[in-house]
Amino acid sequence: MTTPLLIDTDPGVDDALAILMAFAEPAVEIVGLTVAAGNVGLEHTVRNALRLVETVDRDVPVHPGCPAPILPPPASAAFVHGEDGFGDAGLPEPARRASTVHAVDAILDASRRHAGDLTLVCLGPLTNLAVALLIDPTLPSRVPRLVVMGGAVDGRGNTERIKAEFNIGFDPEAADVVFRRWPRFELVDWEATLAHGIPFERLEGWLAAPTPAARLMRAIAEKRHAWVRAHRSATHSHLADALAMAVVLEPALVAEAADRHVSVALVGEHTRGMTVVDWAGRTGLAANAWIARRIDQAGFERRIEGALIGR
Ligand code: BDR
Ligand code: CA
């Protein structure tokens, strides 16, 4: 029995690795990639999603989603992922075409087709999922597992609005809709990501493998690695979406988690897009998030290695 998995994503270098990890796992059936604007514009993120399914030669539909956050202006992470989101590596145009079914419809369709079985993972801004929820508020009743990469639960964000993490900060209104309406989801945040960096030396060893996955990642990660080395860490690469995908594929890797209520700040010069966690239970609101705090590092690395060099 395989688990149907729908991936909402804005590829993005770490999205790419996460998706390759999912393709490497025989126990999941990827039923589609629904694509968001985020790291870069939608025309790039869709093209990159198509390149990923082409790289692994799998027949998985790519559904273009919402082209912008609910409220403008959109942010961009091109300075780290490249103007095209894939490291400006000069990759050829994908031969495959995107589906004509919109991402929001694809999310709702998959929830009906796989009612009670579907796992949904969101690796980008939550715009598509928020719109799907507004159209059909019963969506969570058909999706037993939602994993979100987003937020900075201790307030150490990674955007210019200091407290905000990129995916939530890109579209705070969308995150607000999801966090208010989804009764219970798993959250893999930026601080967990910082605590689970991958030593460059090891990562670059895997990237040297002669597999299509490693070849693609080697090409697209070069620019990002140079940026991370110069601005964030000389020794470790922090791969948020890959960490979230490791949790999706192997929940037992979570060694420590906290059940808390999480909301999203919508206003404030420094706080818009911040995730606010009720650590001490002072609001009396029921926990909506299961926050992964510590993840088995060796297990996480084994998943990345498996996707890049094969098993
Ligand atoms: C998140 O933001 C994006 O830049 C990454 O792809 C990841 O989803 C990390 O904050
Ligand atoms: Ca992403």
Side-chain angles (χ1 to χ4, degrees), residues 11-280:
V13 177
D14 59 333
D15 300 75
L17 180 57
I19 291 164
L20 293 170
M21 287 162 68
F23 275 123
E25 173 52 68
V28 301
E29 182 210 351
I30 302 178
V31 298
L33 302 181
T34 54
V35 183
N39 281 318
V40 289
L42 189 68
E43 73 280 17
H44 290 300
T45 54
V46 168
R47 205 177 286 143
N48 293 342
L50 290 166
R51 287 183 170 121
L52 283 161
V53 295
E54 224 162 74
T55 299
V56 292
D57 196 18
R58 296 273 280 272
D59 211 7
V60 168
V62 169
H63 303 277
C66 302
I70 293 173
L71 293 184
S76 163
F79 61 95
V80 53
H81 294 267
E83 293 301 321
D84 69 355
F86 263 10
D88 301 322
L91 299 174
E93 284 296 314
R96 295 185 191 214
R97 290 284 157 261
S99 165
T100 52
V101 177
H102 193 279
V104 171
D105 294 320
I107 292 171
L108 293 171
D109 289 351
S111 76
R112 292 189 191 105
R113 223 168 339 113
H114 303 283
D117 281 334
L118 186 68
T119 294
L120 172 60
V121 58
C122 294
L123 305 176
L126 292 166
T127 322
N128 293 331
L129 183 56
V131 175
L133 265 170
L134 292 173
I135 292 172
D136 182 358
T138 69
L139 173 61
S141 68
R142 297 187 299 278
V143 182
R145 191 168 180 222
L146 168 66
V147 180
V148 173
M149 190 286 124
V153 297
D154 295 317
R156 188 172 168 191
N158 60 358
T159 67
E160 63 198 20
R161 259 183 277 115
I162 301 160
K163 299 287 186 187
E165 177 278 334
F166 183 82
N167 289 341
I168 307 300
F170 183 93
D171 195 341
E173 279 68 27
D176 184 54
V177 167
V178 173
F179 285 20
R180 281 176 191 274
R181 292 183 183 226
W182 207 282
R184 193 170 178 72
F185 54 91
E186 296 166 45
L187 191 68
V188 179
D189 83 316
W190 179 247
E191 273 129 9
T193 304
L194 288 177
H196 297 87
I198 306 291
F200 274 119
E201 227 168 88
R202 213 168 299 154
L203 184 58
E204 280 163 359
W206 300 328
L207 289 176
T211 62
R215 209 171 302 127
L216 175 76
M217 286 304 304
R218 193 160 64 236
I220 70 176
E222 200 179 311
K223 194 163 186 169
R224 182 180 185 277
H225 284 181
W227 185 90
V228 171
R229 279 190 159 110
H231 300 282
R232 188 178 289 140
S233 166
T235 55
H236 288 74
S237 181
H238 299 100
L239 297 157
D241 295 338
L243 186 66
M245 189 58 83
V247 170
V248 170
L249 300 174
E250 199 174 338
L253 290 180
V254 179
E256 194 187 318
D259 253 327
R260 292 291 186 278
H261 185 270
V262 183
S263 54
V264 181
L266 298 179
V267 294
E269 186 188 348
H270 299 298
T271 52
R272 179 169 157 75
M274 173 184 179
T275 40
V276 180
V277 182
D278 182 9
W279 286 115

